[in-house]
């Protein structure tokens, strides 16, 4: 899955699956996913993900003790992670999650996404209009989450529809490298665009631009031996190689060269 650091080295450590939501939930959810692992008798495994501008709701259980600072089992809201998402898996465990479309969590629940940025917290009783109790079973928990998210009267609001179109353009158009280019495409003023991004997405426009480029850079480094970092930097919109290296190190904690040594080719 794009965004998983060192994806070629993770296949033997856990099983990852994903599937489409129902039509009702698909207004807000990109897909459902699950992770299962059994590392009993093995060393714990550290996993890193270059996160997307998306929020998640997860239901988590297992034998590995607290996760994200909370006892198991638990149902959690994950805000957008500004740097990279690190987690350590051990013993035996499972997670089932809903990955929301960027802006989808706010459109569904009317909660400010920025209030959750870089935070994980248990689902509160008010989120779904009352307490929820999910089974520690991937299929049953996923179906219940799908029903709860899809049980929303009325369609998505106009702001969500417009910001989704803008986010899709940022993701798909490799020529968009600067905030000014995005503002030229926005139906709102620059100030309003930034405010809407913070409320619906949880992060500013510049962060979204940089994150998609970093994900592509990491994927190319992993996929192609002896990649030319200077060419990669310019092609993906950085002013020069030095700026690319600085952003890469800030997000991943290592330089592109160090990343290539660990995971490249």
């Amino acid at each position: 899955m794009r965004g998983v650091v060192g994806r070629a080295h993770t296949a033997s450590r856990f099983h990852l699956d994903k599937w489409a939501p129902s039509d009702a939930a698909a207004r807000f959810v990109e897909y459902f996913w699950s992770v299962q692992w059994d590392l009993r008798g093995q060393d714990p495994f550290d996993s890193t993900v270059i996160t997307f501008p998306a929020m998640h709701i997860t239901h988590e259980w297992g034998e590995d003790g607290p996760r994200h600072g909370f006892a198991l089992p638990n149902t959690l809201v994950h805000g957008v992670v500004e740097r990279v998402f690190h987690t350590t898996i051990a013993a035996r465990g499972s997670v089932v999650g809903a990955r929301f479309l960027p802006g989808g969590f706010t459109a569904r629940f009317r909660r400010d996404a920025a209030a959750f940025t870089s935070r994980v917290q248990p689902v509160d009783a008010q989120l779904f209009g009352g307490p929820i109790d999910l089974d520690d079973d991937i299929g049953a928990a996923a179906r219940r989450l799908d029903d709860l998210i899809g049980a929303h009267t009325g369609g998505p609001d106009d702001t969500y529809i417009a910001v989704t179109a803008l986010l899709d353009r940022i993701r798909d158009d490799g020529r968009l490298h600067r905030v000014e280019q995005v503002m030229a495409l926005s139906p709102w003023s620059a100030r309003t665009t930034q405010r809407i991004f913070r409320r619906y997405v949880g992060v500013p426009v510049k962060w979204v631009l940089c994150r998609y480029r970093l994900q592509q850079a990491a994927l190319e480094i992993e996929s192609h031996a002896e990649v030319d970092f200077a060419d990669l930097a310019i092609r993906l919109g950085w002013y020069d190689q030095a700026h690319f290296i600085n952003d890469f190190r800030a997000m991943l904690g290592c330089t592109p060269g160090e990343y290539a040594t660990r995971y490249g080719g």
Side-chain angles (χ1 to χ4, degrees):
M1 184 162 64
R2 187 180 181 189
V4 177
V5 171
R7 57 189 58 73
H9 304 275
T10 64
S12 64
R13 303 303 187 100
F14 55 80
H15 176 71
L16 172 67
D17 195 14
K18 63 179 183 177
W19 59 95
S22 66
D23 289 344
R27 296 173 294 170
F28 312 105
V29 173
E30 184 175 1
Y31 57 77
F32 284 90
W33 56 272
S34 66
V35 175
Q36 302 175 79
W37 64 90
D38 189 343
L39 298 178
R40 289 173 295 178
Q42 303 178 51
D43 292 333
F45 178 72
D46 293 324
S47 177
T48 301
V49 178
I50 310 171
T51 52
F52 286 74
M55 295 181 62
H56 298 251
I57 291 179
T58 64
H59 183 63
E60 312 198 12
W61 65 97
E63 302 169 358
D64 51 324
R67 287 187 214 146
H68 317 295
F70 300 103
L72 299 177
N74 222 317
T75 305
L76 305 170
V77 178
H78 299 249
V80 173
V81 180
E82 292 178 287
R83 292 175 66 87
V84 290
F85 176 77
H86 294 289
T87 190
T88 299
I89 59 175
R92 180 169 60 178
S94 301
V95 183
V96 62
R99 173 165 134 169
F100 285 81
L101 292 158
F105 183 88
T106 294
R108 169 59 179 85
F109 298 108
R110 300 294 188 261
R111 299 283 186 93
D112 190 332
F116 295 90
T117 297
S118 292
R119 296 179 60 196
V120 179
Q121 62 187 58
V123 167
D124 60 69
Q126 290 73 42
L127 192 69
F128 289 103
I132 62 170
D133 185 17
L134 301 181
D135 293 335
D136 296 344
D137 175 83
I138 286 174
R143 287 190 293 272
R144 179 63 174 147
L145 267 180
D146 191 299
D147 289 343
L148 287 166
I149 295 168
H152 176 73
T153 57
D157 61 84
D158 291 341
T159 300
Y160 172 52
I161 293 170
V163 78
T164 296
L166 193 55
L167 285 158
D168 288 347
R169 182 72 180 271
I170 293 172
R171 180 195 63 205
D172 297 335
D173 191 341
R175 299 167 298 177
L176 295 180
H177 300 147
R178 301 188 308 278
V179 172
E180 295 78 15
Q181 292 175 297
V182 176
M183 296 307 178
L185 298 170
S186 174
W188 310 289
S189 70
R191 183 174 181 177
T192 299
T193 301
Q194 293 287 14
R195 178 176 56 79
I196 287 171
F197 263 67
R198 288 189 178 278
R199 172 165 173 76
Y200 277 78
V201 189
V203 286
V205 174
K206 183 178 180 180
W207 188 96
V208 177
L209 280 167
C210 188
R211 181 50 55 99
Y212 280 131
R213 290 185 296 158
L214 280 171
Q215 287 176 332
Q216 184 60 35
L219 180 61
E220 293 201 26
I221 291 170
E222 291 187 35
S223 303
H224 305 289
E226 300 180 1
V227 63
D228 186 320
F229 297 133
D231 173 72
L232 183 64
I234 298 302
R235 182 158 45 84
L236 293 180
W238 273 275
Y239 179 73
D240 55 27
Q241 187 175 350
H243 284 84
F244 168 55
I245 291 173
N246 287 339
D247 282 348
F248 201 98
R249 183 192 291 115
M251 290 289 184
L252 290 179
C254 65
T255 67
E258 292 166 342
Y259 190 90
T261 298
R262 295 177 195 172
Y263 309 114

